[in-house]
Amino acid sequence: MVEIQLKSGADFEGFRQAVRSLLENGTTPENVAWGNSDARERFNVAPENSATRISLPADVVSLAKLVVCHTDPERYGLLYDLIWRVKHGERHLLDVACDPTVHRLERMRKAIARDIHKMHAFVRFQSTPSDDGERFVAWFEPQFFILHEASSFFVSRFPSFAWSILTPLGSLHWNRHQLTAGGPASKSDLKAPEDEFEKGWIEYYRSTFNPARLNTKLMRAEMPKRYWQNLPEASAMGDMIRAAARRVDDMLEAPPSISIKRSPERALLRSTGSPPLSLEALNEIITASDAFVPGGTRAVLGEGPLRPDLAFIGEQPGDQEDIQGRPFVGPAGAIFDRALAASGISRAECYITNAVKHFKYEQRGKRRIHQTPTHGEIKHYRWWLQEELKIVQPKLVVALGASAAFALAGRPVKVSESRGLTKFDTVPAVLTIHPSYILRLQDKAQAETEFAKFVADLNLARACLAEAA
Amino acid sequence: MAMTLFEKLPILADAAKYDASCASSGGPKHKAKQGGLGSTTGAGICHSYTPDGRCVSLLKILLTNYCLYDCAYCINRRSSNVRRARFSVDEVVTLTTEFYKRNYIEGLFLSSGIIRSADYTMEQMMLVAKKLRREHGFAGYIHLKTIPEASPWLIEQAGLWADRLSINLELSRETSLRKLAPEKNAETIQFAMRQTGERIAEAKKEKRRFSPAGQSTQIIVGADDASDLDVLRSSSRMYEKYKLKRVYYSGFSPIPDASKALPVKAPPLVREHRLYQADWLLRYYEFSIEDLASASDDGMLDLGIDPKFAWALKHREAFPVDVNTAAREMLLRVPGLGKRAVDQIISSRRHHRLRAEDIRRLSPGFKRALPFLIAADHHSTALLDRLDLRSRIAPSQQLELF
Ligand code: SF4
């Protein structure tokens, strides 16, 4: 018989080393006696590094990590039994959930997980004055040795202020950078001044309770009584339960209130359909909003006169547009201007805007690289474009490229297939390429041809207008 | 004299408590960046329970309980005589962060009566969320109730900051909606749900953050004469069409200063519970609406037994089911076997033939399941043919919750 003594509490390290050496010596589970106490040193355990590491399925290791936190004196024995069998032909033992050992370990794991979960839920911090301003301190009494396992939750949730959690089994202290473990504490170690937010919390707890649904059994199942003593809101429970029946009777007996006959018209008028009525109002909303695309330092608004003959819709502002805050002022804008001139259109008489109001880009070193907006992103901006065009009321819309067409149509439109005269909703439109397409062409001759085709589309738009007039 | 923060809190918490859709689950895990506050764990945490057995997870409050609308079932309707109050954006932000720092809550559930205009109200709510995220680096959970009448771009923005958006359907039948909530409009509600559903799906596909915990809704049960099947039909339609994460059912509860238009009676808690069970069967147990229809009478679920058991009693020919060979969907139909137990049966039976004793260890509903099962050492047909099966295995503790 080999006797193993581990430290009290959750001694995962000690257990691991013991298992290594036991397995190395081929010691069967029946021949091991597990005990733990603080008083005696470990013995019969090979010192670190001397026993070879063993490989175990990941789920066995994570089960062991939790189960060692239990208070059941048989926990190490059961775990070793499991590991022994896993190493001797029953590799998938954990899948056999109905195996008595697996079943029992699983129940222990559940109890631990629940205790950890309840600690995450029921720790109540109190604000206390401290050297560095304010420290949040809590007193908590866990059921098992879970302090270590439960700690990372608090670190990732409350990284930016100092806090301590005191328990009878040890304590945790966080100073905004580092977590340190301290010794056992007692409840009297926590001295917090009165806190108006704690009073507010108790008031909140009272008010969020519906007496017509009283069900204390369910409450006790989820919030066992053993936790109540450290929950400030529990002090209000007694009153709430006692008064519930009377409150319900009052509600049931009270005569229904005479509803004042008021027609819904006024309410409706005030509450529905409140779109901005002017371009200024709309632009104010757009400017105040956050970008729906990555990058997007500022909103680049549309510009030009109301009720113009032509409105041009581009994709989104680029680097230069973002810097200057105006549409089509970069390299693509230069081609656009050249094409307008070739077709005899005065830019000043047109309304020019973009489907997406922010510059979507990716920073690469010093350069900001244009990223095409996704369909989802364009849709976020679509309502604005629709309102904008409702206010601007152009006679004809020119969609520059696929993104603009998508924004206007609300569905994908292929430029190569639908290029030329078309309609978005009921507004007559011309669909053409985005001038940046020409910019990207390497072949000079091809660029010239494409430019000519672009100008031809603009001429088409002009011809349409003339016909309509 | 102006009310203080802590004078307003009980009024605006009381006004919000009838909304059942207050969970902090369903979102991806994330945590605060440097200098920030908070995290979401995915599953959510209940920080407390009130004596009605309900979980307190989020700070559930109204921005204001002033309201232009007059929904008969609602304590905040304009014709009700309740005390009114209104939080400022900053007050809500302060309450949320201070409560959060004391570990009282997982985050904020913010709703509001409609004041001034739908857009104005929605914008105020959106600003609360934006301020929490932007100025406090708040990474806790935020659920915003959206106002369907608000302009679409406000909902687009709300999705940037919220973990979950929701619009309450409240009444499953259009006629009831017209009668009891004269200012609301079923079409507007559906339009807003569709828009939100689309954006959530697109953002997910494009790996962007937009209401990552999806959208949900609530249906009030017992305020109109809609049957259980009416209610479940509209749920299953919404799950399908708008990809809702959850539909919550809220048994209509008496309120102080109730309207004459509605019955004043105890909330139908058992009915509400059965609807939740049926909803689970739809979402996780591969039941169809037709299955539920065949498990109910005149469109109403049996109040005495759970809907799965009711279905099994009417389809005895489908049983017994052999735990060692049956397909997963058949095991899921066995009363008393939960989804987890079924998965464990399937992984265990690969390694050895299961006996009744094994099932007992795997399923807390073992007793109820046994008459419907065949195991290596157990075969039940005699029991199945008995006419009193229902009373034999549906003891009074079927109603244990209430
Ligand atoms: S809109 Fe209707 S349900 Fe919402 S707060 Fe106003 S009265 Fe209540």
Side-chain angles (χ1 to χ4, degrees):
Chain A
M1 183 64 75
V2 181
E3 197 176 329
I4 306 283
Q5 283 292 336
L6 297 177
K7 280 195 272 184
S8 76
D11 188 4
F12 181 70
E13 261 322 300
F15 175 68
R16 171 151 63 186
Q17 281 173 45
V19 169
R20 284 177 189 168
S21 93
L22 288 170
L23 282 179
E24 204 171 53
N25 299 329
T27 316
T28 56
E30 312 84 74
N31 289 319
V32 191
W34 298 87
N36 61 338
S37 81
D38 272 333
R40 277 186 285 170
E41 280 299 295
R42 280 181 220 153
F43 61 96
N44 273 339
V45 177
E48 216 163 340
N49 300 331
S50 82
T52 30
R53 302 170 59 128
I54 48 168
S55 74
L56 283 174
D59 51 358
V60 174
V61 178
S62 55
L63 179 77
K65 267 192 183 146
L66 282 182
V67 170
V68 295
C69 303
H70 209 282
T71 44
D72 189 329
E74 290 181 42
R75 62 192 185 279
Y76 295 112
L78 284 165
L79 279 173
Y80 184 58
D81 200 27
L82 173 86
I83 292 171
W84 176 268
R85 288 170 61 193
V86 165
K87 293 304 277 181
H88 293 86
E90 293 180 81
R91 212 188 122 72
H92 298 289
L93 183 55
L94 270 193
D95 290 344
V96 188
C98 56
D99 178 271
T101 303
V102 175
H103 178 62
R104 209 170 139 200
L105 284 168
E106 175 58 22
R107 282 207 344 239
M108 288 163 92
R109 189 198 60 79
K110 260 198 195 145
I112 301 284
R114 183 173 152 96
D115 196 35
I116 292 174
H117 185 79
K118 294 299 179 196
M119 177 166 178
H120 293 163
F122 298 150
V123 156
R124 294 285 181 268
F125 284 115
Q126 291 179 283
S127 163
T128 60
S130 85
D131 310 339
D132 51 352
E134 192 181 23
R135 176 174 278 271
F136 285 83
V137 186
W139 165 254
F140 188 77
E141 293 165 69
Q143 193 177 354
F144 302 112
F145 304 109
I146 55 164
L147 201 55
H148 177 73
E149 285 293 320
S151 63
S152 63
F153 166 85
F154 294 101
V155 171
S156 59
R157 179 157 288 201
F158 306 115
S160 55
F161 59 83
W163 50 261
S164 298
I165 299 174
L166 314 177
T167 85
L169 298 170
S171 45
L172 296 169
H173 305 282
W174 173 254
N175 67 357
R176 295 188 187 87
H177 311 288
Q178 218 184 357
L179 187 69
T180 38
S186 76
K187 192 168 186 174
S188 58
D189 293 340
L190 172 57
K191 286 181 201 70
E194 227 178 58
D195 180 353
E196 55 175 350
F197 284 100
E198 186 175 287
K199 281 203 234 148
W201 163 244
I202 298 170
E203 274 312 300
Y204 172 74
Y205 180 76
R206 280 180 195 280
S207 313
T208 200
F209 162 61
N210 182 353
R213 304 181 63 103
L214 186 70
N215 184 348
T216 49
K217 201 174 155 201
L218 190 57
M219 171 183 75
R220 282 159 189 267
E222 299 292 350
M223 194 162 75
K225 215 166 172 180
R226 50 180 304 273
Y227 295 108
W228 292 4
Q229 52 186 335
N230 297 319
L231 293 169
E233 66 270 26
S235 64
M237 243 181 234
D239 281 355
M240 289 161 69
I241 295 168
R242 270 190 300 280
R246 186 180 40 75
R247 287 175 66 194
V248 177
D249 286 345
D250 286 352
M251 284 192 277
L252 294 178
E253 276 159 24
S257 72
I258 311 300
S259 88
I260 312 149
K261 274 258 181 307
R262 273 188 283 194
S263 94
E265 257 89 75
R266 253 190 41 218
L268 277 178
L269 206 67
R270 290 224 269 171
S271 61
T272 49
S274 42
L277 299 170
S278 70
L279 201 54
E280 289 73 31
L282 175 66
N283 284 342
E284 226 171 85
I285 295 176
I286 298 177
T287 313
S289 298
D290 278 73
F292 294 106
V293 291
T297 50
R298 68 146 114 182
V300 176
L301 304 169
E303 63 178 32
L306 295 185
R307 277 172 290 284
D309 282 349
L310 289 174
F312 289 93
I313 320 296
E315 180 190 73
Q316 65 167 356
D319 184 67
Q320 273 306 309
E321 285 82 4
D322 183 63
I323 292 167
Q324 298 182 38
R326 291 185 53 210
F328 284 99
V329 292
I335 296 186
F336 178 57
D337 283 344
R338 200 149 62 82
L340 286 180
S343 147
I345 297 172
S346 150
R347 174 165 171 155
E349 288 171 21
C350 300
Y351 187 82
I352 298 166
T353 192
N354 282 301
V356 168
K357 302 293 191 244
H358 294 93
F359 177 32
K360 181 183 179 186
Y361 65 85
E362 205 185 288
Q363 193 84 42
R364 274 197 221 135
K366 278 203 178 124
R367 282 177 14 110
R368 305 196 292 177
I369 309 294
H370 165 277
Q371 303 277 307
T372 307
T374 62
H375 281 171
E377 285 162 345
I378 296 171
K379 279 203 200 159
H380 286 304
Y381 288 90
R382 189 165 178 250
W383 313 105
W384 285 337
L385 182 66
Q386 285 179 327
E387 290 306 313
E388 194 179 4
L389 291 177
K390 258 188 233 158
I391 297 168
V392 172
Q393 292 182 22
K395 289 206 184 89
L396 188 128
V397 166
V398 181
L400 302 168
S403 293
F406 179 84
L408 289 161
R411 59 185 167 77
V413 180
K414 273 209 172 107
V415 180
S416 55
E417 281 167 18
S418 317
R419 188 164 181 167
L421 212 54
T422 178
K423 246 186 189 161
F424 295 112
D425 288 333
T426 54
V427 186
V430 165
L431 172 58
T432 182
I433 51 135
H434 194 277
S436 63
Y437 168 63
I438 298 170
L439 208 58
R440 284 197 304 271
L441 291 172
Q442 303 288 329
D443 183 300
K444 253 210 164 149
Q446 200 194 346
E448 277 312 310
T449 329
E450 283 302 327
F451 182 78
K453 273 167 80 184
F454 183 45
V455 173
D457 284 341
L458 299 187
N459 289 337
L460 176 66
R462 273 189 44 180
C464 282
L465 284 171
E467 205 174 294
Chain B
M1 212 182 74
M3 273 192 267
T4 66
L5 178 63
F6 293 109
E7 282 165 348
K8 295 176 189 177
L9 178 58
I11 298 175
L12 291 168
D14 199 285
K17 75 177 168 206
Y18 299 95
D19 200 314
S21 50
C22 182
S24 53
S25 56
K29 290 184 188 186
H30 68 126
K31 58 181 182 189
K33 302 210 176 73
Q34 218 182 356
L37 171 68
S39 60
T40 50
T41 57
I45 296 174
C46 292
H47 284 270
S48 196
Y49 290 84
T50 45
D52 48 19
R54 281 180 154 182
C55 149
V56 184
S57 181
L58 304 173
L59 170 63
K60 178 162 63 171
I61 47 174
L62 253 53
L63 190 62
T64 176
N65 64 341
Y66 289 101
C67 190
L68 283 170
Y69 283 20
D70 207 23
C71 311
Y73 47 80
C74 176
I75 186 175
N76 307 312
R77 68 192 188 284
R78 66 170 187 269
S79 60
S80 132
N81 299 314
V82 288
R83 261 187 98 192
R84 310 275 173 172
R86 181 182 166 181
F87 279 134
S88 69
V89 167
D90 285 331
E91 283 174 329
V92 178
V93 169
T94 305
L95 264 181
T96 308
T97 51
E98 292 300 326
F99 274 17
Y100 197 90
K101 281 159 90 173
R102 286 160 179 76
N103 204 38
Y104 300 156
I105 52 170
E106 287 291 286
L108 175 66
F109 175 105
L110 187 63
S111 177
S112 183
I114 295 169
I115 41 166
R116 223 182 287 180
S117 74
D119 274 8
Y120 174 79
T121 313
M122 190 66 228
E123 189 179 8
Q124 295 287 301
M125 288 201 278
M126 189 270 288
L127 285 176
V128 169
K130 181 170 173 176
K131 201 157 192 177
L132 278 168
R133 298 280 194 233
R134 272 293 182 73
E135 289 173 26
H136 297 267
F138 183 69
Y141 197 89
I142 301 180
H143 178 154
L144 291 184
K145 178 115 304 159
T146 51
I147 298 174
E149 290 81 9
S151 296
W153 54 78
L154 282 164
I155 298 179
E156 305 277 5
Q157 289 206 54
L160 290 184
W161 313 112
D163 288 276
R164 172 170 283 181
L165 297 175
S166 68
I167 300 163
N168 281 359
L169 182 66
E170 306 291 24
L171 298 165
S172 58
R173 298 167 76 181
E174 241 178 283
T175 44
S176 316
L177 199 65
R178 233 174 289 139
K179 197 170 115 215
L180 297 178
E183 290 89 357
K184 289 195 175 169
N185 177 309
E187 243 173 76
T188 315
I189 293 175
Q190 281 166 23
F191 175 82
M193 276 188 187
R194 196 178 63 227
Q195 185 203 341
T196 308
E198 265 179 24
R199 291 307 173 278
I200 292 170
E202 285 157 4
K204 206 173 214 172
K205 217 169 81 199
E206 294 165 4
K207 301 206 163 56
R208 285 182 289 119
R209 196 185 150 84
F210 185 89
S211 189
Q215 66 167 333
S216 63
T217 194
Q218 168 179 280
I219 299 177
I220 297 177
V221 183
D224 62 351
D225 51 10
S227 72
D228 289 344
L229 271 190
D230 287 339
V231 170
L232 290 166
R233 279 216 174 86
S234 50
S235 301
S236 90
R237 206 179 315 122
M238 289 188 292
Y239 281 129
E240 213 163 280
K241 265 183 143 168
Y242 313 126
K243 303 281 172 277
L244 293 196
K245 268 275 169 71
R246 286 280 312 259
V247 176
Y248 291 88
Y249 305 96
S250 176
F252 179 63
S253 168
I255 45 173
D257 201 36
S259 152
K260 233 161 104 182
L262 287 170
V264 188
K265 56 185 180 202
L269 296 182
V270 181
R271 188 176 171 202
E272 180 191 289
H273 183 56
R274 294 287 173 246
L275 282 168
Y276 274 116
Q277 290 177 319
D279 185 275
W280 275 76
L281 295 181
L282 280 178
R283 285 187 300 149
Y284 301 116
Y285 287 78
E286 299 175 29
F287 273 63
S288 68
I289 277 285
E290 280 64 47
D291 290 330
L292 293 174
S294 79
S296 57
D297 286 312
D298 281 340
M300 296 303 277
L301 298 168
D302 195 323
L303 290 180
I305 53 174
D306 69 77
K308 196 188 197 186
F309 190 23
W311 184 88
L313 285 184
K314 291 198 178 168
H315 296 86
R316 297 189 194 198
E317 73 285 354
F319 299 97
V321 164
D322 189 335
V323 286
N324 285 302
T325 56
R328 186 166 184 275
E329 59 271 24
M330 249 349 271
L331 287 173
L332 285 174
R333 300 243 155 184
V334 176
L337 287 191
K339 201 168 159 244
R340 200 181 141 75
V342 167
D343 288 338
Q344 289 183 331
I345 286 175
I346 289 174
S347 71
S348 299
R349 75 187 184 187
R350 275 191 223 116
H351 304 276
H352 74 125
R353 276 174 61 74
L354 302 181
R355 308 165 65 87
E357 181 60 14
D358 295 319
I359 311 297
R360 191 180 61 75
R361 273 188 224 109
L362 294 181
S363 172
F366 165 73
K367 263 211 183 124
R368 218 137 46 88
L370 206 58
F372 298 92
L373 291 179
I374 297 173
D377 60 342
H378 166 83
H379 197 285
S380 134
T381 43
L383 198 52
L384 253 186
D385 293 332
R386 294 183 64 128
L387 290 173
D388 62 348
L389 182 59
R390 177 187 167 125
S391 55
R392 285 176 66 91
I393 54 176
S396 55
Q397 83 215 50
Q398 269 282 326
L399 289 168
E400 86 280 8
L401 269 168
F402 304 101

